[in-house]
Amino acid sequence: MDHDAWTGYPALRDSAVQPSAVTPLDGGLWLHHTLTADADHHDALTLLVPCDCGHGYVLSLLEGQSDLLELLQELRPTGGRAVHSGDTGGPYCVSTPAT
């Protein structure tokens, strides 16, 4: 990933939000990089996958590049969308809201 593709965001003191950076991927997916809030401040890379209902994103914490490649392979049949499991057809989405 090219360094110029990332957009950085500063930390927020009032809400203890760590600095982060995001980059868009094809198909509406996003990569989010930040530090964990624990005392060790480890890197955390998360893939945000658009939900098939269109109301939000499903977050997947990645341990490394192999996790990213595996997840992208799993998403290929759905066109890069997270599919509701056990969906009853109602507007019930457990994803993180897009707004």
Side-chain angles (χ1 to χ4, degrees):
M1 181 81 34
D2 186 11
H3 293 289
D4 293 339
W6 293 87
T7 301
Y9 295 93
L12 301 176
R13 287 186 215 175
D14 294 340
S15 60
V17 173
Q18 298 296 325
S20 64
V22 296
T23 187
L25 302 177
D26 289 340
L29 291 100
W30 291 84
L31 275 177
H32 177 264
H33 179 268
T34 192
L35 299 174
T36 59
D38 64 14
D40 294 332
H41 295 289
H42 296 290
D43 288 323
L45 186 62
T46 305
L47 180 66
L48 288 77
V49 179
C51 190
D52 65 343
C53 70
H55 295 293
Y57 290 85
V58 175
L59 312 176
S60 296
L61 185 61
L62 305 170
E63 294 292 325
Q65 183 176 351
S66 61
D67 280 356
L68 175 60
L69 295 174
E70 182 179 326
L71 189 52
L72 291 174
Q73 184 67 27
E74 289 175 10
L75 291 169
R76 186 170 285 182
T78 65
R81 301 282 187 238
V83 179
H84 290 255
S85 57
D87 194 352
T88 59
Y92 308 108
C93 182
V94 296
S95 63
T96 302
T99 58

